[in-house]
Amino acid sequence: MSEQPGRDRHQRQTLILLIVSLVAILTAVGISILFATQFDRIVFLHFPLGFYILAQGVLIVMVAIAFWAANAQEHIDNTLAESEED
Amino acid sequence: MQPQARMRQANPHLGVYYGILTSAFISLGLCLAMFEQLGWRQSSLAFAMLLGPVAGYLAIAAAARTFDVADFFVSGRRVPPVYNGAVLAAVAVGGIGFFAYSGALFFLGFDGLAIGLGWTAGLILSGLLFVPYLRKAGTYTVPGFLGQRFRSRILRAVASLMQLPPTALLLAAEIKVAALILALFLPLSYSLAVAGVALAITTITFIGGMRSLTWSGSAQFIVGVVGFAVPLIVVSVLLTNLPAPQLTYGEILTPLQRSEVTAGLAPAPPEQQPDAVLPAEAPRASTKPFAQAFGAMSATDFVVLFFCLTVGIAALPSLLARSGVTASLADQRRSVAWGALFVALFAASAPALAAFVKFMLFQDLAQNHSGTMPAWLGQLGGYRFFAFRDANGNGSVDASEIALARDGIALALPIAARLPFVCTVLMATAGLGLALAAAASHLFTLASSLADDVIRAADPRNAMLPRVMMVWVTLAATALSASVFLAFANIDAIQALVAAPALAGAVLFPALVLAIWWKGCTIWGAIAAMLLGFLTFTIVLIFGGSLPFGHDHLTTAFAALIGAPVGLMSGVAASLIGPKPSAAEIAYFDEVRDSRGDALYDRARKRVTAAATAAAASAPTPAPGQ
């Protein structure tokens, strides 16, 4: 048993957040590259879809993940601080 | 307590100041546009538009002057997240990204998107893996963090030397881009322009260190955004009737494709492309259809380039050096997210610029039945961004005979759209601003690390010079070295754009990952990660495609992709084989990973100051007359 369960939980949640964020980004990029030529057969906003996804779609997803991860990590940090105060 | 509270408070009028600055810049552009209609000479317009903002940057830097150590190295830790994000984006993109990325997209089209994706993903990765922990450590440099983490001055000096090649490469490339812009529009020789740029960035960093870098960098970011956006939006309105280029350039892709087919540009597999994957500096003809997926490079090359830039940008010293400038960990994370947003906005807009230029070029050629050259190409030739050779000797102009320079594509946009000259010089001012922001940041990162991590490590009692003054010396020496280097050597912007992150990714990324995320990492692990990462990178770079697992294209990017995992594995192996980490190293690791409390470095400085105060108070008061 660890002497600091609050800190261990914090480390675990931080690691999970990191893995989830990285997997989400890599999945988005990977799928976009892998199926780019197939997506290109579909037209979206006058763009070939594969082109649009890599030019803008994945960027939007990545930035959304960046802000979400920053907020989620702040929540995790606040939870640790509150649990230690209790 | 009072001074501490004051230290962490951002100036509440920052928004007003930068609002005024933005208005002043827009007013300058409007005034010069009117003066152009009144018959002002182009040289006078260029002089006012290029040097007016530079004078502004110097004035802001002077207003932010400081001799305080915390202000000089980390801007007093009170920069709001949006402003730090803006400077991060300006440094990540820089002048080389501004000109070379938009140019690369003109030639590579779809395939060039890997660069913008890599930049954005790299910034996000640094925010997840490194930045919050560097902020908690609070050291003024990245090698300083490694030195504290492993309680070693030698490691600190080694890390400082390891971050030298990528940062120096970027510094030289940014100075070159800024000097080329000045030499293009002003009556200056290239050598004089290099000296002028080196003097400007040295002055900015000299008088206020990170503080003046931050506030002048924010102004440079604003100038970069306005100067890039205004011509692009105007051209978007002219071509598509809507002022949202990111959304509307899709409309021109189909007519562009038709024009490309008319001009003889047919989709071809990457192996049939005549040139190297990344377009070189010299003018060349466009041979690949814009929207064709994986026509200049294979999907594997695309992935290699993306990963190289992602790990490289994540570990780029000039970006990580800004990890301690905000008031808290949460602010620091948020600032990286803002930085990623700004970089993504540029990465999403640059393809519109490239598509518009290509569309105008091919449309003009398709509609030009007389076989003569569009007039705007002659104007571009005046800047040495265009070359023509009647290769087939038919006396008319074909697309394959028109060679455009990669770094001139951004400037070609307002020229091709027949916009007033002010728009061309506005675009140049934007690129110059970003180049100066990035160059000053690389210069400060290099100089502060050499002073603090190498010289001060050998002279811990500061017997030679006070801390800030030592940085002044290294700043001057570094800027002078970069200028002398550029007098004799040439650097291709896009090669620097890939090689510097590749080096950082192979050398610094593994060591930082292990130091921050693995408690069991030892000093030997960190040294092995850096040295073997560097060695592997060098071997792959030299032998390239001749290795059994080699790669013919993008050797630099590929070297990073091999170097980084080799560095990681070497670090793990050396840590497991060598002596176990000391209790002090483990305690420091635990403190860095704990999100609560102040920066460790600030705490240590407070303890030292308190001890010195107590010692002075307890010392016997000298008798009167002694």
Side-chain angles (χ1 to χ4, degrees):
Chain A
M1 236 353 227
S2 168
E3 289 174 9
Q4 295 174 307
R7 191 186 275 196
D8 288 349
R9 192 169 54 247
H10 175 264
Q11 301 282 322
R12 204 168 43 249
Q13 288 175 335
T14 302
L15 188 64
I16 290 169
L17 180 65
L18 169 75
I19 292 168
V20 168
S21 307
L22 288 183
V23 167
I25 289 172
L26 292 179
T27 307
V29 174
I31 289 175
S32 315
I33 296 172
L34 207 61
F35 297 106
T37 42
Q38 285 89 333
F39 285 149
D40 269 350
R41 292 182 199 129
I42 304 165
V43 175
F44 175 74
L45 291 172
H46 299 286
F47 290 93
L49 183 61
F51 180 94
Y52 180 81
I53 289 175
L54 283 169
Q56 291 176 26
V58 178
L59 292 173
I60 294 168
V61 170
M62 286 199 286
V63 171
I65 289 171
F67 278 100
W68 169 77
N71 287 332
Q73 186 64 52
E74 194 175 351
H75 177 72
I76 293 171
D77 292 351
N78 290 341
T79 309
L80 171 69
E82 284 163 14
S83 70
E84 291 293 311
E85 277 171 20
D86 294 341
Chain B
M1 293 303 284
Q2 196 55 35
Q4 183 63 22
R6 186 194 64 80
M7 225 181 121
R8 293 294 166 82
Q9 204 173 18
N11 187 330
H13 305 298
L14 276 175
V16 176
Y17 295 157
Y18 282 101
I20 292 170
L21 188 138
T22 310
S23 309
F25 181 62
I26 293 170
S27 306
L28 175 71
L30 289 173
C31 285
L32 292 178
M34 285 191 287
F35 291 155
E36 185 179 359
Q37 300 307 313
L38 292 173
W40 264 37
R41 283 181 307 158
Q42 289 194 345
S43 57
S44 309
L45 294 169
F47 187 85
M49 184 55 106
L50 286 170
L51 296 188
V54 172
Y57 308 146
L58 290 170
I60 292 170
R65 68 191 175 280
T66 184
F67 196 69
D68 178 77
V69 171
D71 272 349
F72 193 85
F73 282 96
V74 284
S75 207
R77 299 204 200 281
R78 57 173 178 270
V79 180
V82 179
Y83 291 87
N84 191 43
V87 184
L88 280 175
V91 176
V93 173
I96 57 173
F98 186 88
F99 291 108
Y101 179 52
S102 46
L105 283 169
F106 177 87
F107 292 103
L108 300 177
F110 181 104
D111 301 351
L113 298 174
I115 298 173
L117 285 172
W119 279 339
T120 313
L123 263 179
I124 295 170
L125 190 63
S126 79
L128 290 169
L129 285 179
F130 306 138
V131 170
Y133 308 102
L134 293 173
R135 172 65 185 80
K136 180 65 196 295
T139 50
Y140 293 161
T141 61
V142 176
F145 162 73
L146 289 171
Q148 290 283 330
R149 166 75 174 84
F150 298 106
R151 299 286 185 264
S152 166
R153 280 189 201 141
I154 294 171
L155 175 65
R156 192 174 174 177
V158 169
S160 178
L161 295 176
M162 285 291 170
Q163 74 165 20
L164 201 145
T167 317
L169 192 62
L170 286 174
L171 170 65
E174 295 289 1
I175 292 178
K176 181 193 157 184
V177 166
L180 280 177
I181 289 294
L182 289 178
L184 212 57
F185 288 96
L186 302 179
L188 284 176
S189 67
Y190 172 67
S191 310
L192 204 60
V194 165
V197 170
L199 186 67
I201 58 170
T202 310
T203 309
I204 287 172
T205 43
F206 195 87
I207 47 187
M210 184 63 91
R211 191 172 178 216
S212 52
L213 259 185
T214 300
W215 302 124
S216 60
S218 300
Q220 286 154 344
F221 170 80
I222 289 170
V223 168
V225 169
V226 174
F228 179 72
V230 169
L232 189 59
I233 290 171
V234 171
V235 174
S236 174
V237 171
L238 290 174
L239 294 179
T240 67
N241 301 320
L242 281 172
Q246 298 87 349
L247 295 176
T248 59
Y249 75 97
E251 284 180 32
I252 62 152
L253 289 182
T254 309
L256 171 62
Q257 195 181 6
R258 277 200 296 270
S259 304
E260 286 172 335
V261 171
T262 310
L265 256 72
E271 53 273 15
Q272 289 179 19
Q273 291 296 328
D275 296 314
V277 169
L278 296 174
E281 204 170 18
R284 57 171 266 187
S286 176
T287 53
K288 176 192 169 290
F290 187 81
Q292 185 202 352
F294 312 123
M297 61 174 90
S298 65
T300 314
D301 289 336
F302 191 99
V303 172
V304 166
L305 188 57
F306 166 76
F307 273 111
C308 160
L309 288 169
T310 301
V311 294
I313 292 289
L316 203 66
S318 311
L319 297 174
L320 294 179
R322 302 198 58 81
S323 296
V325 301
T326 61
S328 67
L329 249 72
D331 276 1
Q332 197 66 47
R333 279 194 208 97
R334 221 168 281 130
S335 76
V336 178
W338 279 109
L341 172 65
F342 295 139
V343 169
L345 275 174
F346 174 73
S349 308
L353 185 150
F356 287 152
V357 175
K358 202 161 191 179
F359 174 70
M360 287 185 280
L361 172 69
F362 280 84
Q363 199 187 36
D364 284 356
L365 288 175
Q367 290 173 352
N368 187 7
H369 300 297
S370 60
T372 55
M373 210 178 315
W376 62 270
L377 282 175
Q379 202 181 337
L380 211 56
Y383 296 120
R384 297 186 297 279
F385 287 145
F386 161 71
F388 169 73
R389 193 169 64 89
D390 189 7
N392 54 16
N394 65 356
S396 68
V397 182
D398 296 333
S400 60
E401 295 167 339
I402 288 180
L404 292 178
R406 182 199 64 210
D407 297 345
I409 297 300
L411 297 177
L413 177 81
I415 295 173
R418 286 89 169 168
L419 297 185
F421 174 73
V422 164
C423 290
T424 307
V425 82
L426 185 67
M427 190 66 99
T429 309
L432 177 67
L434 293 179
L436 288 176
S441 199
H442 300 315
L443 175 66
F444 182 72
T445 305
L446 266 182
S448 61
S449 180
L450 285 175
D452 229 40
D453 302 321
V454 180
I455 300 173
R456 196 162 161 269
D459 173 36
R461 291 182 186 280
N462 294 336
M464 279 195 268
L465 279 174
R467 206 167 175 183
V468 172
M469 288 174 81
M470 185 57 80
V471 180
W472 289 353
V473 174
T474 50
L475 270 174
T478 311
L480 188 67
S481 309
S483 309
V484 172
F485 173 78
L486 282 173
F488 298 103
N490 186 30
I491 290 183
D492 185 351
I494 209 154
Q495 295 300 339
L497 191 146
V498 175
L503 255 168
V507 178
L508 296 170
F509 186 84
L512 283 170
V513 167
L514 292 175
I516 291 173
W517 287 91
W518 187 34
K519 195 183 279 193
C521 182
T522 64
I523 177 172
W524 299 110
I527 289 177
M530 282 192 286
L531 293 183
L532 283 166
F534 183 74
L535 194 67
T536 310
F537 177 87
T538 313
I539 290 171
V540 177
L541 194 64
I542 292 169
F543 295 105
S546 58
L547 292 171
F549 52 86
H551 204 255
D552 291 332
H553 307 300
L554 295 169
T555 314
T556 321
F558 186 66
L561 235 59
I562 301 292
V566 168
L568 267 175
M569 286 187 287
S570 318
V572 171
S575 299
L576 291 176
I577 293 166
K580 298 278 171 242
S582 68
E585 286 171 30
I586 291 174
Y588 189 81
F589 174 87
D590 286 337
E591 286 285 347
V592 164
R593 296 301 305 271
D594 191 337
S595 59
R596 295 161 301 175
D598 234 347
L600 301 181
Y601 188 76
D602 293 355
R603 275 195 239 165
R605 281 194 74 199
K606 270 186 220 163
R607 279 200 300 272
V608 171
T609 312
T613 312
S618 62
T621 313
Q626 274 189 335

